[in-house]
């Protein structure tokens, strides 16, 4: 039994939708950053699925760049959260 491209795209779409809901409905900065990471991982899953479907490595190359950007975003986001916590003490 093989999993087709449609199954990967459905899961990626659901992950992206959950992340989008988290970004739009939540007020907590940490939850918003986690939702953004979920959205980036959904895009990564779609890129890898298309790459596997086409038999190329192009999608995998994009995934490495997205993971690099996500790591920089997490570092910057956590620095902002720590600065806000030190300023407000909450």
């Amino acid at each position: 039994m093989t999993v087709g491209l449609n199954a990967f795209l459905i899961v990626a779409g659901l992950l992206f939708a959950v992340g989008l809901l988290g970004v739009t409905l939540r007020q907590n900065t940490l939850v918003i950053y986690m939702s953004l990471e979920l959205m980036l991982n959904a895009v990564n899953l779609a890129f890898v699925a298309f790459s596997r479907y086409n038999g190329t490595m192009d999608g995998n190359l994009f995934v490495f760049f997205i993971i690099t950007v996500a790591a920089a975003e997490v570092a910057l986001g956590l620095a902002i959260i720590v600065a806000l916590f030190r300023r407000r003490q909450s």
Side-chain angles (χ1 to χ4, degrees):
M1 181 176 153
T2 61
V3 180
L5 179 64
N6 291 337
F8 285 113
L9 294 181
I10 288 171
V11 171
L14 290 173
L15 283 174
F16 193 86
V18 169
L20 187 63
L21 282 174
V23 168
T24 57
L25 297 178
R26 297 295 180 174
Q27 299 274 333
N28 190 355
T29 311
L30 195 59
V31 174
I32 290 173
Y33 278 115
M34 288 175 24
S35 297
L36 285 172
E37 292 296 324
L38 192 62
M39 290 169 63
L40 286 174
N41 284 328
V43 172
N44 283 341
L45 179 62
F47 275 144
V48 170
F50 281 125
S51 178
R52 181 175 176 221
Y53 179 74
N54 291 333
T56 63
M57 294 296 287
D58 296 338
N60 296 337
L61 182 67
F62 280 118
V63 167
F64 287 126
F65 286 121
I66 291 173
I67 289 173
T68 304
V69 169
E73 175 193 354
V74 167
L76 182 64
L78 288 177
I80 291 171
I81 290 170
V82 168
L84 287 174
F85 180 75
R86 286 185 180 172
R87 179 172 234 166
R88 295 184 184 175
Q89 296 297 325
S90 66

Coordinates of all heavy atoms in Angstrom, one line a residue:
M1 N 0.8 -1.2 0.0 CA 0.0 0.0 0.0 C 0.9 1.2 0.0 O 1.8 1.4 0.9 CB -0.9 0.0 1.2 CG -1.8 1.1 1.3 SD -2.8 0.9 2.8 CE -3.2 2.6 3.2
T2 N 0.7 2.1 -0.9 CA 1.4 3.3 -1.0 C 0.5 4.5 -0.7 O -0.7 4.5 -1.0 CB 2.1 3.5 -2.4 OG1 1.0 3.6 -3.4 CG2 3.0 2.4 -2.7
V3 N 1.1 5.5 -0.2 CA 0.4 6.8 0.1 C 0.6 7.7 -1.0 O 1.7 8.0 -1.4 CB 0.9 7.4 1.5 CG1 0.2 8.7 1.8 CG2 0.8 6.4 2.6
G4 N -0.5 8.2 -1.6 CA -0.4 9.1 -2.7 C -0.2 10.5 -2.4 O -0.1 10.9 -1.2
L5 N 0.0 11.3 -3.4 CA 0.2 12.7 -3.2 C -0.9 13.4 -2.6 O -0.7 14.4 -1.8 CB 0.5 13.4 -4.6 CG 0.8 14.9 -4.6 CD1 2.1 15.2 -3.9 CD2 0.9 15.4 -6.1
N6 N -2.2 13.0 -2.9 CA -3.3 13.6 -2.3 C -3.3 13.6 -0.8 O -3.7 14.5 -0.1 CB -4.6 13.0 -2.8 CG -4.8 13.3 -4.3 OD1 -4.3 14.3 -4.8 ND2 -5.6 12.5 -4.9
A7 N -2.9 12.5 -0.2 CA -2.9 12.3 1.3 C -1.9 13.3 1.9 O -2.3 13.9 2.9 CB -2.6 10.9 1.6
F8 N -0.8 13.4 1.3 CA 0.2 14.4 1.8 C -0.3 15.8 1.8 O -0.1 16.6 2.7 CB 1.5 14.3 1.1 CG 2.3 13.0 1.4 CD1 2.5 12.0 0.5 CD2 2.9 12.9 2.7 CE1 3.2 10.9 0.8 CE2 3.6 11.8 3.0 CZ 3.8 10.8 2.1
L9 N -1.0 16.1 0.6 CA -1.5 17.5 0.5 C -2.6 17.8 1.4 O -2.8 18.9 1.9 CB -1.8 17.8 -1.0 CG -0.7 17.7 -2.0 CD1 -1.2 18.0 -3.4 CD2 0.4 18.7 -1.5
I10 N -3.4 16.8 1.7 CA -4.5 17.0 2.6 C -4.0 17.2 4.0 O -4.5 18.2 4.7 CB -5.5 15.8 2.6 CG1 -6.3 15.8 1.3 CG2 -6.4 15.8 3.8 CD1 -7.1 14.5 1.0
V11 N -3.0 16.5 4.4 CA -2.4 16.7 5.8 C -1.7 18.0 5.8 O -1.9 18.7 6.8 CB -1.4 15.5 6.1 CG1 -0.7 15.8 7.3 CG2 -2.2 14.2 6.2
A12 N -1.0 18.4 4.8 CA -0.4 19.7 4.8 C -1.4 20.8 4.8 O -1.2 21.8 5.5 CB 0.5 19.8 3.5
G13 N -2.5 20.7 4.1 CA -3.6 21.7 4.2 C -4.2 21.8 5.6 O -4.5 22.9 6.0
L14 N -4.4 20.7 6.2 CA -5.0 20.7 7.5 C -4.0 21.3 8.5 O -4.4 22.1 9.4 CB -5.3 19.3 8.0 CG -6.5 18.6 7.3 CD1 -6.7 17.2 7.7 CD2 -7.8 19.4 7.6
L15 N -2.7 21.0 8.4 CA -1.7 21.6 9.3 C -1.7 23.1 9.1 O -1.6 23.9 10.1 CB -0.4 21.0 9.1 CG -0.1 19.6 9.7 CD1 1.3 19.1 9.2 CD2 -0.2 19.7 11.2
F16 N -1.7 23.5 7.9 CA -1.7 25.0 7.6 C -2.9 25.7 8.1 O -2.8 26.8 8.7 CB -1.5 25.2 6.1 CG -1.2 26.6 5.7 CD1 0.2 27.0 5.7 CD2 -2.2 27.5 5.4 CE1 0.5 28.3 5.4 CE2 -1.8 28.8 5.1 CZ -0.5 29.2 5.0
A17 N -4.1 25.0 8.0 CA -5.3 25.6 8.5 C -5.3 25.8 10.0 O -5.7 26.8 10.5 CB -6.5 24.8 8.0
V18 N -4.8 24.8 10.7 CA -4.7 24.8 12.2 C -3.7 25.9 12.5 O -4.0 26.7 13.5 CB -4.2 23.5 12.7 CG1 -3.9 23.6 14.2 CG2 -5.4 22.4 12.6
G19 N -2.6 26.0 11.9 CA -1.6 27.1 12.1 C -2.2 28.5 11.9 O -2.0 29.4 12.7
L20 N -3.0 28.6 10.8 CA -3.6 29.9 10.5 C -4.6 30.3 11.5 O -4.7 31.5 11.9 CB -4.2 29.8 9.1 CG -4.8 31.1 8.5 CD1 -3.7 32.1 8.3 CD2 -5.5 30.9 7.2
L21 N -5.4 29.3 12.0 CA -6.4 29.6 13.1 C -5.6 30.0 14.3 O -6.1 30.9 15.0 CB -7.2 28.4 13.3 CG -8.4 28.1 12.3 CD1 -9.0 26.8 12.6 CD2 -9.4 29.2 12.4
G22 N -4.5 29.4 14.6 CA -3.8 29.8 15.8 C -3.2 31.2 15.7 O -3.2 31.9 16.7
V23 N -2.8 31.6 14.6 CA -2.2 32.9 14.4 C -3.3 34.0 14.5 O -3.2 35.0 15.1 CB -1.5 33.0 13.0 CG1 -1.2 34.5 12.7 CG2 -0.2 32.2 13.1
T24 N -4.5 33.7 13.9 CA -5.5 34.7 13.9 C -6.3 34.8 15.2 O -6.9 35.8 15.5 CB -6.5 34.4 12.7 OG1 -7.0 33.1 12.8 CG2 -5.8 34.6 11.4
L25 N -6.5 33.7 15.9 CA -7.4 33.7 17.1 C -6.7 33.9 18.4 O -7.3 34.2 19.4 CB -8.2 32.4 17.1 CG -9.1 32.1 15.9 CD1 -9.8 30.8 16.1 CD2 -10.1 33.2 15.8
R26 N -5.4 33.6 18.5 CA -4.7 33.7 19.8 C -4.0 35.0 20.0 O -3.7 35.7 19.1 CB -3.6 32.6 19.8 CG -4.2 31.2 19.8 CD -5.1 31.0 21.0 NE -5.6 29.6 20.9 CZ -6.3 29.1 21.9 NH1 -6.5 29.8 23.0 NH2 -6.8 27.9 21.8
Q27 N -3.9 35.4 21.3 CA -3.3 36.6 21.7 C -1.9 36.4 22.2 O -1.0 37.3 22.2 CB -4.1 37.3 22.8 CG -5.5 37.7 22.3 CD -5.6 39.0 21.6 OE1 -4.8 39.9 21.9 NE2 -6.5 39.1 20.7
N28 N -1.6 35.2 22.7 CA -0.3 34.9 23.3 C 0.8 34.8 22.2 O 0.7 34.1 21.2 CB -0.4 33.5 24.0 CG 0.8 33.2 24.8 OD1 1.7 33.9 24.9 ND2 0.7 32.1 25.6
T29 N 1.9 35.5 22.5 CA 3.0 35.6 21.5 C 3.6 34.2 21.3 O 3.9 33.9 20.1 CB 4.0 36.6 22.0 OG1 3.4 37.8 22.4 CG2 5.0 36.9 20.9
L30 N 3.8 33.5 22.3 CA 4.4 32.2 22.1 C 3.5 31.2 21.3 O 4.1 30.5 20.4 CB 4.7 31.6 23.5 CG 5.6 30.4 23.6 CD1 7.0 30.8 23.1 CD2 5.7 29.9 25.0
V31 N 2.2 31.3 21.5 CA 1.3 30.4 20.7 C 1.3 30.9 19.2 O 1.3 30.0 18.3 CB -0.1 30.4 21.3 CG1 -1.1 29.7 20.4 CG2 -0.1 29.8 22.7
I32 N 1.4 32.2 19.0 CA 1.5 32.7 17.6 C 2.7 32.2 16.9 O 2.7 31.7 15.8 CB 1.4 34.2 17.6 CG1 0.0 34.6 18.0 CG2 1.7 34.7 16.2 CD1 -0.2 36.1 18.2
Y33 N 3.9 32.2 17.6 CA 5.1 31.7 17.0 C 5.0 30.2 16.8 O 5.5 29.7 15.8 CB 6.3 32.0 17.9 CG 6.8 33.4 17.7 CD1 6.8 34.3 18.7 CD2 7.4 33.8 16.5 CE1 7.2 35.6 18.5 CE2 7.8 35.0 16.3 CZ 7.8 36.0 17.3 OH 8.2 37.2 17.1
M34 N 4.4 29.4 17.7 CA 4.2 28.0 17.5 C 3.3 27.7 16.3 O 3.6 26.8 15.5 CB 3.7 27.3 18.7 CG 4.7 27.2 19.8 SD 4.2 26.6 21.4 CE 2.8 25.6 21.1
S35 N 2.3 28.6 16.1 CA 1.4 28.4 15.0 C 2.1 28.7 13.6 O 1.9 28.1 12.6 CB 0.2 29.3 15.1 OG -0.5 28.9 16.3
L36 N 3.0 29.8 13.7 CA 3.8 30.1 12.5 C 4.7 28.9 12.1 O 4.9 28.6 10.9 CB 4.6 31.3 12.7 CG 3.8 32.7 12.7 CD1 4.7 33.8 13.1 CD2 3.3 32.9 11.3
E37 N 5.3 28.3 13.1 CA 6.2 27.1 12.8 C 5.3 26.0 12.2 O 5.8 25.3 11.4 CB 6.9 26.7 14.1 CG 7.9 27.7 14.6 CD 9.0 27.9 13.7 OE1 9.5 26.9 13.0 OE2 9.5 29.0 13.6
L38 N 4.1 25.8 12.7 CA 3.3 24.8 12.2 C 2.9 25.0 10.7 O 2.9 24.1 9.9 CB 2.0 24.7 13.0 CG 1.1 23.5 12.8 CD1 1.8 22.2 13.2 CD2 -0.2 23.6 13.6
M39 N 2.7 26.3 10.4 CA 2.4 26.7 9.0 C 3.6 26.4 8.1 O 3.5 25.9 7.0 CB 2.0 28.1 8.9 CG 0.6 28.4 9.5 SD 0.2 30.1 9.7 CE 0.2 30.7 8.1
L40 N 4.8 26.8 8.6 CA 6.0 26.5 7.8 C 6.3 25.0 7.6 O 6.7 24.6 6.6 CB 7.3 27.1 8.5 CG 7.4 28.7 8.4 CD1 8.5 29.2 9.3 CD2 7.6 29.1 7.0
N41 N 6.0 24.2 8.7 CA 6.1 22.8 8.5 C 5.1 22.2 7.5 O 5.4 21.2 6.8 CB 6.1 22.1 9.9 CG 7.3 22.3 10.7 OD1 8.4 22.4 10.1 ND2 7.2 22.3 12.0
A42 N 3.9 22.8 7.5 CA 2.9 22.3 6.5 C 3.4 22.6 5.1 O 3.3 21.8 4.2 CB 1.6 23.0 6.7
V43 N 4.0 23.8 4.9 CA 4.6 24.1 3.5 C 5.8 23.1 3.2 O 5.9 22.7 2.1 CB 5.1 25.6 3.5 CG1 5.8 25.9 2.2 CG2 3.9 26.5 3.6
N44 N 6.6 22.8 4.2 CA 7.7 21.9 4.0 C 7.2 20.5 3.6 O 7.7 19.9 2.7 CB 8.5 21.7 5.3 CG 9.4 22.8 5.6 OD1 9.8 23.6 4.7 ND2 9.9 23.0 6.8
L45 N 6.1 20.1 4.2 CA 5.5 18.8 3.9 C 5.0 18.8 2.4 O 5.2 17.8 1.7 CB 4.4 18.4 4.8 CG 3.6 17.1 4.6 CD1 4.6 15.9 4.7 CD2 2.5 17.0 5.5
A46 N 4.4 19.9 2.0 CA 3.9 20.0 0.6 C 5.1 20.0 -0.3 O 5.0 19.3 -1.4 CB 3.1 21.2 0.5
F47 N 6.2 20.7 0.0 CA 7.3 20.7 -0.9 C 8.0 19.3 -1.0 O 8.3 18.9 -2.1 CB 8.4 21.7 -0.4 CG 8.2 23.1 -0.8 CD1 8.5 24.2 0.1 CD2 7.7 23.4 -2.1 CE1 8.3 25.5 -0.3 CE2 7.5 24.7 -2.5 CZ 7.8 25.8 -1.6
V48 N 8.1 18.6 0.1 CA 8.7 17.3 0.0 C 7.8 16.3 -0.8 O 8.2 15.5 -1.5 CB 9.0 16.8 1.4 CG1 9.3 15.3 1.4 CG2 10.1 17.6 2.1
A49 N 6.5 16.5 -0.6 CA 5.5 15.6 -1.3 C 5.6 15.8 -2.8 O 5.7 14.9 -3.6 CB 4.1 15.8 -0.8
F50 N 5.6 17.1 -3.2 CA 5.8 17.4 -4.6 C 7.1 17.0 -5.2 O 7.2 16.5 -6.3 CB 5.6 18.9 -4.9 CG 4.1 19.3 -4.9 CD1 3.7 20.4 -4.1 CD2 3.2 18.7 -5.8 CE1 2.4 20.8 -4.1 CE2 1.9 19.1 -5.8 CZ 1.5 20.1 -4.9
S51 N 8.2 17.1 -4.4 CA 9.5 16.7 -4.8 C 9.5 15.2 -5.0 O 10.1 14.7 -6.0 CB 10.5 17.1 -3.8 OG 11.8 16.7 -4.1
R52 N 8.9 14.4 -4.1 CA 8.9 13.0 -4.3 C 8.0 12.6 -5.5 O 8.4 11.6 -6.2 CB 8.3 12.4 -3.0 CG 8.3 10.9 -3.0 CD 7.8 10.3 -1.7 NE 7.7 8.9 -1.8 CZ 6.7 8.2 -1.2 NH1 5.8 8.8 -0.5 NH2 6.6 6.9 -1.4
Y53 N 6.9 13.3 -5.7 CA 6.0 13.0 -6.8 C 6.7 13.2 -8.1 O 6.5 12.4 -9.1 CB 4.8 13.8 -6.7 CG 3.8 13.6 -7.8 CD1 3.0 12.4 -7.8 CD2 3.6 14.5 -8.7 CE1 2.1 12.2 -8.8 CE2 2.6 14.4 -9.7 CZ 1.9 13.2 -9.8 OH 1.0 13.0 -10.8
N54 N 7.5 14.3 -8.2 CA 8.1 14.6 -9.5 C 9.5 13.9 -9.7 O 10.0 13.9 -10.8 CB 8.4 16.1 -9.6 CG 7.1 16.9 -9.8 OD1 6.1 16.4 -10.3 ND2 7.1 18.1 -9.3
G55 N 10.0 13.3 -8.6 CA 11.3 12.6 -8.7 C 12.5 13.5 -8.8 O 13.5 13.2 -9.3
T56 N 12.3 14.8 -8.3 CA 13.5 15.7 -8.2 C 13.8 16.0 -6.8 O 13.1 15.6 -5.9 CB 13.1 17.0 -9.0 OG1 12.0 17.6 -8.3 CG2 12.7 16.7 -10.4
M57 N 14.9 16.8 -6.6 CA 15.3 17.2 -5.3 C 15.1 18.7 -5.1 O 15.5 19.3 -4.1 CB 16.8 16.9 -5.2 CG 17.2 15.5 -5.2 SD 16.5 14.6 -3.8 CE 17.5 15.2 -2.5
D58 N 14.3 19.3 -6.0 CA 14.1 20.8 -5.8 C 13.3 21.1 -4.6 O 13.7 22.1 -3.9 CB 13.3 21.3 -7.0 CG 14.1 21.2 -8.3 OD1 15.3 21.1 -8.2 OD2 13.5 21.1 -9.4
G59 N 12.3 20.4 -4.2 CA 11.5 20.6 -3.0 C 12.3 20.5 -1.8 O 12.2 21.2 -0.8
N60 N 13.2 19.5 -1.8 CA 14.1 19.3 -0.6 C 15.0 20.4 -0.4 O 15.3 20.8 0.7 CB 14.9 18.0 -0.7 CG 14.0 16.7 -0.8 OD1 12.9 16.8 -0.3 ND2 14.5 15.7 -1.4
L61 N 15.5 21.0 -1.5 CA 16.4 22.2 -1.4 C 15.6 23.4 -0.7 O 16.2 24.1 0.2 CB 16.9 22.6 -2.8 CG 17.8 23.8 -2.8 CD1 19.1 23.4 -2.2 CD2 18.1 24.1 -4.3
F62 N 14.4 23.6 -1.1 CA 13.6 24.6 -0.5 C 13.3 24.4 1.0 O 13.3 25.3 1.8 CB 12.2 24.8 -1.2 CG 12.3 25.6 -2.5 CD1 12.0 25.0 -3.7 CD2 12.7 26.9 -2.5 CE1 12.0 25.7 -4.9 CE2 12.8 27.6 -3.7 CZ 12.4 27.0 -4.9
V63 N 13.1 23.1 1.3 CA 12.9 22.8 2.7 C 14.1 23.2 3.6 O 13.9 23.7 4.7 CB 12.6 21.2 2.8 CG1 12.7 20.8 4.3 CG2 11.2 21.0 2.3
F64 N 15.3 23.0 3.1 CA 16.5 23.3 3.9 C 16.5 24.9 4.1 O 16.8 25.3 5.2 CB 17.8 22.9 3.2 CG 18.0 21.4 3.3 CD1 18.2 20.7 2.2 CD2 18.0 20.8 4.5 CE1 18.4 19.3 2.3 CE2 18.2 19.4 4.6 CZ 18.4 18.7 3.5
F65 N 16.1 25.6 3.1 CA 16.1 27.1 3.3 C 15.0 27.5 4.3 O 15.2 28.4 5.1 CB 15.9 27.8 1.9 CG 17.1 27.8 1.1 CD1 17.1 27.2 -0.2 CD2 18.3 28.4 1.5 CE1 18.2 27.2 -1.0 CE2 19.4 28.4 0.7 CZ 19.4 27.8 -0.5
I66 N 13.9 26.8 4.2 CA 12.8 27.2 5.1 C 13.1 26.8 6.5 O 12.8 27.6 7.5 CB 11.5 26.5 4.6 CG1 11.0 27.1 3.3 CG2 10.4 26.6 5.7 CD1 9.8 26.4 2.7
I67 N 13.8 25.7 6.7 CA 14.2 25.3 8.1 C 15.2 26.3 8.6 O 15.2 26.7 9.8 CB 14.8 23.9 8.1 CG1 13.6 22.9 7.9 CG2 15.5 23.6 9.4 CD1 14.1 21.5 7.7
T68 N 16.1 26.8 7.8 CA 17.0 27.8 8.2 C 16.3 29.1 8.6 O 16.6 29.7 9.7 CB 18.0 28.1 7.1 OG1 18.7 26.9 6.7 CG2 19.1 29.1 7.5
V69 N 15.4 29.5 7.8 CA 14.6 30.8 8.2 C 13.8 30.5 9.4 O 13.7 31.4 10.3 CB 13.7 31.2 7.0 CG1 12.7 32.2 7.4 CG2 14.5 31.6 5.8
A70 N 13.2 29.3 9.6 CA 12.4 29.1 10.8 C 13.3 29.1 12.0 O 12.9 29.5 13.1 CB 11.8 27.7 10.6
A71 N 14.5 28.6 11.9 CA 15.4 28.6 13.1 C 15.8 30.0 13.5 O 15.8 30.4 14.7 CB 16.7 27.8 12.8
A72 N 16.0 30.9 12.5 CA 16.3 32.3 12.8 C 15.1 33.0 13.4 O 15.2 33.8 14.3 CB 16.8 33.0 11.5
E73 N 13.9 32.6 12.9 CA 12.7 33.2 13.4 C 12.5 32.8 14.9 O 12.1 33.6 15.7 CB 11.5 32.7 12.6 CG 10.2 33.2 13.1 CD 9.0 32.4 12.5 OE1 9.2 31.7 11.5 OE2 7.9 32.7 13.0
V74 N 12.8 31.6 15.2 CA 12.6 31.1 16.6 C 13.6 31.8 17.5 O 13.2 32.3 18.6 CB 12.8 29.6 16.7 CG1 13.0 29.1 18.1 CG2 11.6 28.9 16.0
A75 N 14.8 32.0 17.0 CA 15.8 32.7 17.9 C 15.4 34.1 18.1 O 15.5 34.7 19.2 CB 17.2 32.6 17.2
L76 N 15.0 34.8 17.1 CA 14.5 36.2 17.2 C 13.3 36.3 18.0 O 13.1 37.2 18.9 CB 14.3 36.8 15.8 CG 13.9 38.3 15.8 CD1 15.0 39.1 16.3 CD2 13.6 38.7 14.3
G77 N 12.3 35.4 17.8 CA 11.1 35.4 18.6 C 11.3 35.2 20.0 O 10.7 35.9 20.9
L78 N 12.1 34.3 20.4 CA 12.4 34.0 21.8 C 13.1 35.2 22.4 O 12.9 35.5 23.6 CB 13.2 32.7 21.9 CG 12.4 31.4 21.7 CD1 13.3 30.2 21.8 CD2 11.2 31.3 22.7
A79 N 14.0 35.8 21.7 CA 14.7 37.0 22.2 C 13.7 38.1 22.5 O 13.8 38.8 23.5 CB 15.8 37.5 21.2
I80 N 12.7 38.3 21.6 CA 11.7 39.3 21.8 C 10.8 39.0 23.0 O 10.5 39.8 23.9 CB 10.8 39.5 20.6 CG1 11.7 40.1 19.5 CG2 9.6 40.3 20.9 CD1 11.0 40.1 18.1
I81 N 10.5 37.7 23.2 CA 9.6 37.3 24.3 C 10.4 37.4 25.6 O 9.8 37.9 26.6 CB 9.2 35.8 24.1 CG1 8.2 35.7 23.0 CG2 8.6 35.2 25.4 CD1 7.9 34.3 22.5
V82 N 11.7 37.1 25.6 CA 12.4 37.3 26.9 C 12.6 38.8 27.2 O 12.4 39.2 28.4 CB 13.8 36.6 26.7 CG1 14.8 37.1 27.8 CG2 13.7 35.1 26.7
A83 N 12.8 39.6 26.2 CA 12.8 41.1 26.5 C 11.5 41.6 27.0 O 11.5 42.4 27.9 CB 13.3 41.8 25.2
L84 N 10.4 41.2 26.4 CA 9.1 41.6 26.9 C 8.9 41.1 28.3 O 8.3 41.8 29.2 CB 8.0 41.1 26.0 CG 7.9 41.8 24.7 CD1 6.8 41.2 23.8 CD2 7.5 43.3 24.9
F85 N 9.3 39.9 28.6 CA 9.1 39.4 30.0 C 9.9 40.1 31.0 O 9.4 40.4 32.1 CB 9.5 37.9 30.0 CG 9.3 37.3 31.4 CD1 8.0 36.9 31.8 CD2 10.4 37.0 32.2 CE1 7.9 36.4 33.1 CE2 10.3 36.4 33.4 CZ 9.0 36.1 33.9
R86 N 11.1 40.5 30.7 CA 11.9 41.2 31.6 C 11.4 42.6 31.8 O 11.5 43.2 32.9 CB 13.4 41.3 31.1 CG 14.1 40.0 31.2 CD 15.5 40.2 30.8 NE 16.3 38.9 30.9 CZ 17.5 38.7 30.5 NH1 18.1 39.7 29.9 NH2 18.0 37.5 30.6
R87 N 10.8 43.2 30.8 CA 10.3 44.6 30.9 C 9.0 44.6 31.7 O 8.8 45.5 32.5 CB 10.0 45.2 29.5 CG 9.5 46.5 29.6 CD 9.5 47.2 28.2 NE 10.2 48.4 28.4 CZ 10.6 49.1 27.4 NH1 10.5 48.7 26.2 NH2 11.2 50.3 27.6
R88 N 8.1 43.6 31.5 CA 6.8 43.6 32.1 C 6.7 42.7 33.3 O 5.7 42.8 34.1 CB 5.7 43.2 31.1 CG 5.5 44.1 29.9 CD 4.4 43.7 29.1 NE 4.3 44.5 27.9 CZ 3.5 44.3 26.9 NH1 2.7 43.3 26.9 NH2 3.5 45.1 25.9
Q89 N 7.6 41.8 33.5 CA 7.6 40.9 34.6 C 6.3 40.0 34.6 O 5.8 39.6 35.7 CB 7.7 41.6 36.0 CG 9.0 42.3 36.1 CD 10.2 41.3 36.1 OE1 10.1 40.2 36.6 NE2 11.3 41.8 35.6
S90 N 5.8 39.7 33.4 CA 4.7 38.8 33.4 C 4.7 38.0 32.0 O 5.3 38.4 31.1 CB 3.3 39.6 33.5 OG 3.2 40.4 32.4

